[in-house]
Amino acid sequence: MSTPETSRFVRLRVEMVIEVNDENALTKAALSRIAEDPEVPADERTQVESTVTEDTAEALAYLVDPFDLVGGVPGVELAQASWSSEQVDHDPDSPDWDLDEDDDASDDTSDDDTSDEKAATG
């Protein structure tokens, strides 16, 4: 099935709109994760805690991890990931929310996003 011209790498794009029903619970979960995270340097911990407390989108981005999405998938290893979050106005009935519409236009232009982006490599 694999030929020399076929790449072993696959770009998987996922876009979700999350409704936050309990900002306090989300913020508490993010703060708890920060407290348990040995990779957050002590001198940066206060800033990270402040950021997730002030911005629900940042709290969500801190809790969502692409490694968790594919970690249990047999035969794959996450090579690189980036993700971002931002607060948006959402009208599910609006034609502006057609998820298939950016498939062609955003192939390699997603780096223009101005929201805070998390990146990880494995």
Side-chain angles (χ1 to χ4, degrees):
M1 178 172 175
S2 181
T3 65
E5 297 85 30
T6 304
S7 175
R8 297 178 313 144
F9 296 93
V10 175
R11 181 183 306 236
L12 174 66
R13 293 181 190 230
V14 177
E15 183 170 334
M16 297 185 279
V17 175
I18 307 294
E19 182 178 1
V20 177
N21 294 316
D22 189 342
E23 289 183 27
N24 289 331
L26 178 63
T27 300
K28 285 180 185 179
L31 291 172
S32 177
R33 174 84 55 91
I34 292 166
E36 298 169 359
D37 190 345
E39 294 186 23
V40 176
D43 58 335
E44 294 179 19
R45 190 172 303 274
T46 302
Q47 176 60 37
V48 174
E49 290 172 340
S50 175
T51 300
V52 300
T53 301
E54 295 171 11
D55 187 345
T56 305
E58 283 295 324
L60 182 61
Y62 197 85
L63 292 169
V64 173
D65 186 348
F67 291 102
D68 293 341
L69 295 175
V70 297
V73 177
V76 301
E77 180 178 335
L78 183 61
Q80 182 176 349
S82 68
W83 65 107
S84 63
S85 63
E86 61 185 333
Q87 292 184 343
V88 296
D89 292 325
H90 177 62
D91 176 4
D93 298 325
S94 170
D96 294 336
W97 287 96
D98 181 10
L99 294 179
D100 294 330
E101 77 182 22
D102 356 312
D103 287 348
D104 322 314
S106 69
D107 276 353
D108 289 318
T109 59
S110 61
D111 292 340
D112 295 338
D113 189 55
T114 59
S115 63
D116 294 321
E117 188 168 294
K118 314 296 179 205
T121 56

